[in-house]
Amino acid sequence: MYTQALDSPAPEARPGSSGGQAALERRFEERIERDEKIEPKDWMPDAYRQTLIRQISQHAHSEIVGMLPEGNWITRAPSLRRKAVLIAKVQDEGGHGMYLYSAAETLGIARAELLEQLLDGRAKYSSIFNYPTLTWADVGAIGWLVDGAAIMNQIPICRCSYGPYARAMVRICKEESFHQRQGFEIMLALARGTGEQRAMAQDALNRWWWPSIMMFGPSDATSTHTAQSMRWRIKRFTNDELRQKFIDVTVPQAEFLGLKIPDPALRRDEISQHYLTGPIDWSEFKAVLQGNGPCNHERLQARRTAHEAGRWVREAAAAYAAKHGGRGAQPRSAAHIASPRAEAPCHE
Amino acid sequence: MSDDWPLFEVFIRARSGLEHKHVGSLHAADVRMAIEHARDVYTRRQEGVSIWVVRSSEIVASDPEEAEALFEPARDKVYRHPTFYTIPDEVKNL
Ligand SMILES: [Fe+2]
Ligand SMILES: [Fe+2]
């Protein structure tokens, strides 16, 4: 992604470049209207820029914090195959965080500032990652439901009006599909297993179902950002539309697994051909978002610990780079440099 | 919070015979680490056989405000395209 580090000034900083704010805004709206992509150095209204910084950084933080609940099970995966798959998935999520931080940086915010916002608790991330992963079935349920919901959310963002965000999302969506399939495969193995394994799968579905459908955000009636984001073509569907799509594809998958969705009011409406759920408990969603979920504190603490534990690596790397004029050593064969993203233990 | 490591733009050759293509950016302490990180971040699925990294601050870009002045003059030079010329159907191999 092109970034603000490019060496020419932003157009708005140049006097007399184009007749006035109103004209710039009109031209911007017209470009959006024509479905043109907005690129980092193009003029954009400040509210558009701030909305994108908020959305992309929250998305990036979610990918990063999202590594924790599943990373928690890497050492306890039931087979070498499952372990290799889980490592690959968690590594992908880290990669998604990196693509998205880069995209956010193109809007003029520094990586260090984004990290600081996460670590000092100012930034929000998806509330789903503040729930614990109590059994192996939770890893299955996360892949199936949480990645499933994420895909539903992310596919329309591939057509987002902001170029770097759209491109990051294309890359992410390509990688997400295996995440959901491996999760479903875990659920399938458990559902076809012993009575105890089936109970484990059902228990995971019971705990993850409602948080997953809340991942789409507040209902349209109360969502504050939806209308403007849709006008700017950052968003293509409303929260409720995406939630309904997810429910419609997921209910039959649960039926295939022989598991029961934990919603006594769930029914298929023959006229609209949609599955209708019972009321969603938004007070829980708000409580978790405000920091009172089961693992909010633990998640942030794990990130802070990782950041602190990696400090000496970052400092050593910076000192080494300064000493060698930013060139680094010549690659050795099969050399692996330690990653600065240190892992922290998570007690679930 | 310490300062960010410098930003690098990453270019990847997907297969031999293809050109390097811009894929994204990342932070690294030096060029060696930039290559290592690019390997981890952008080629987890055999997306490349070669990586270029360049400091983002070294890239000089054209200004979107000057796009018209730069690119518009080429618009009316349709005679630079083969379809501009009418050749009778009977003439082959042209
Ligand atoms: Fe992801
Ligand atoms: Fe994922």
Side-chain angles (χ1 to χ4, degrees):
Chain A
M1 284 116 218
Y2 278 88
T3 63
Q4 293 293 312
L6 297 182
D7 76 340
S8 64
E12 62 261 53
R14 216 172 306 118
S17 59
S18 210
Q21 187 80 3
L24 285 169
E25 250 161 53
R26 200 172 51 248
R27 239 174 61 197
F28 174 83
E29 302 287 343
E30 284 164 6
R31 294 188 64 195
I32 297 277
E33 206 52 45
R34 286 195 300 269
D35 251 334
E36 272 179 41
K37 293 282 185 246
I38 307 301
E39 294 295 341
K41 286 164 29 106
D42 295 345
W43 185 89
M44 63 187 88
D46 195 53
Y48 177 83
R49 185 185 297 278
Q50 297 312 324
T51 297
L52 280 166
I53 290 178
R54 195 189 61 242
Q55 182 174 336
I56 300 173
S57 63
Q58 283 179 8
H59 196 160
H61 299 322
S62 303
E63 303 281 356
I64 297 301
V65 177
M67 291 192 281
L68 296 169
E70 289 176 294
N72 180 34
W73 276 91
I74 288 174
T75 57
R76 294 177 283 169
S79 70
L80 190 56
R81 176 180 183 270
R82 296 283 187 212
K83 182 186 284 204
V85 168
L86 189 54
I87 290 172
K89 180 191 188 286
V90 170
Q91 197 187 5
D92 273 355
E93 305 301 4
H96 298 173
M98 296 302 121
Y99 309 151
L100 289 164
Y101 280 135
S102 299
E105 283 179 277
T106 64
L107 293 156
I109 187 162
R111 179 82 56 114
E113 166 68 12
L114 292 167
L115 278 182
E116 201 171 275
Q117 288 178 359
L118 175 65
L119 295 179
D120 70 15
R122 255 180 304 158
K124 288 200 168 61
Y125 55 86
S126 184
S127 57
I128 193 91
F129 301 117
N130 289 319
Y131 291 88
T133 41
L134 303 177
T135 74
W136 172 252
D138 289 25
V139 176
I142 288 179
W144 172 37
L145 300 173
V146 177
D147 287 82
I151 292 170
M152 206 52 101
N153 247 329
Q154 288 168 352
I155 285 178
I157 311 178
C158 295
R159 294 188 294 129
C160 161
S161 59
Y162 188 57
Y165 192 24
R167 291 192 287 275
M169 210 49 63
V170 167
R171 186 173 274 276
I172 287 173
C173 284
K174 269 190 209 153
E175 300 182 350
E176 285 292 354
S177 151
F178 114 71
H179 298 179
Q180 192 187 18
R181 288 170 68 105
Q182 64 86 34
F184 190 81
E185 197 196 66
I186 291 171
M187 294 302 275
L188 192 59
L190 292 171
R192 287 177 175 169
T194 64
E196 208 181 335
Q197 287 172 322
R198 262 195 306 282
M200 220 164 100
Q202 181 63 56
D203 170 60
L205 174 57
N206 291 348
R207 284 179 292 107
W208 290 96
W209 172 254
W210 289 104
S212 297
I213 65 173
M214 288 188 230
M215 275 176 73
F216 295 94
S219 71
D220 298 348
T222 59
S223 171
T224 40
H225 302 303
T226 295
Q228 182 56 268
S229 285
M230 288 187 68
R231 262 197 304 281
W232 278 332
R233 305 205 181 173
I234 295 171
K235 242 175 131 98
R236 298 278 177 164
F237 298 98
T238 69
N239 296 351
D240 286 338
E241 284 168 347
L242 291 167
R243 182 169 16 250
Q244 187 63 56
K245 277 189 189 204
F246 175 72
I247 292 165
D248 288 340
V249 300
T250 309
V251 172
Q253 293 167 355
E255 277 166 12
F256 181 88
L257 292 170
L259 300 177
K260 204 171 154 13
I261 303 271
D263 178 2
L266 183 76
R267 66 181 177 86
R268 189 174 159 83
D269 178 51
E270 286 311 322
I271 299 160
S272 66
Q273 301 276 305
H274 289 307
Y275 286 96
L276 305 181
T277 66
I280 296 174
D281 179 9
W282 289 110
S283 62
E284 178 186 321
F285 177 79
K286 286 197 194 98
V288 179
L289 204 62
Q290 275 154 21
N292 302 316
C295 298
N296 294 58
H297 179 74
E298 193 176 344
R299 298 294 181 236
L300 267 192
Q301 210 42 55
R303 286 314 312 155
R304 288 184 190 131
T305 307
H307 192 73
E308 282 313 310
R311 182 179 298 283
W312 71 271
V313 180
R314 294 192 298 276
E315 286 171 1
Y320 185 84
K323 192 171 165 189
H324 295 268
R327 300 297 306 173
Q330 285 310 301
R332 289 157 291 156
S333 58
H336 294 281
I337 283 188
S339 161
R341 289 163 243 144
E343 295 302 326
C346 184
H347 308 287
E348 274 154 308
Chain B
M1 176 123 350
S2 60
D3 281 342
D4 275 332
W5 285 334
L7 195 62
F8 290 84
E9 301 298 320
V10 181
F11 300 80
I12 299 215
R13 185 199 294 287
R15 278 180 287 116
S16 75
L18 294 181
E19 66 276 59
H20 286 76
K21 201 176 153 209
H22 183 243
V23 293
S25 57
L26 49 75
H27 291 272
D30 57 32
V31 290
R32 166 80 193 285
M33 188 191 277
I35 296 266
E36 300 268 347
H37 283 182
R39 194 273 311 264
D40 287 348
V41 176
Y42 293 106
T43 66
R44 289 193 302 282
R45 286 174 177 75
Q46 295 183 292
E47 288 95 335
V49 296
S50 165
I51 300 172
W52 287 351
V53 294
V54 58
R55 274 180 191 256
S56 310
S57 57
E58 295 293 319
I59 291 184
V60 181
S62 66
D63 181 347
E65 293 293 300
E66 287 168 5
E68 261 179 40
L70 283 173
F71 307 114
E72 197 76 337
R75 181 177 270 186
D76 58 1
K77 296 179 180 57
V78 284
Y79 46 82
R80 283 182 169 148
H81 298 277
T83 45
F84 179 75
Y85 304 91
T86 338
I87 306 287
D89 283 350
E90 309 86 273
V91 184
K92 300 296 175 201
N93 299 318
L94 204 71

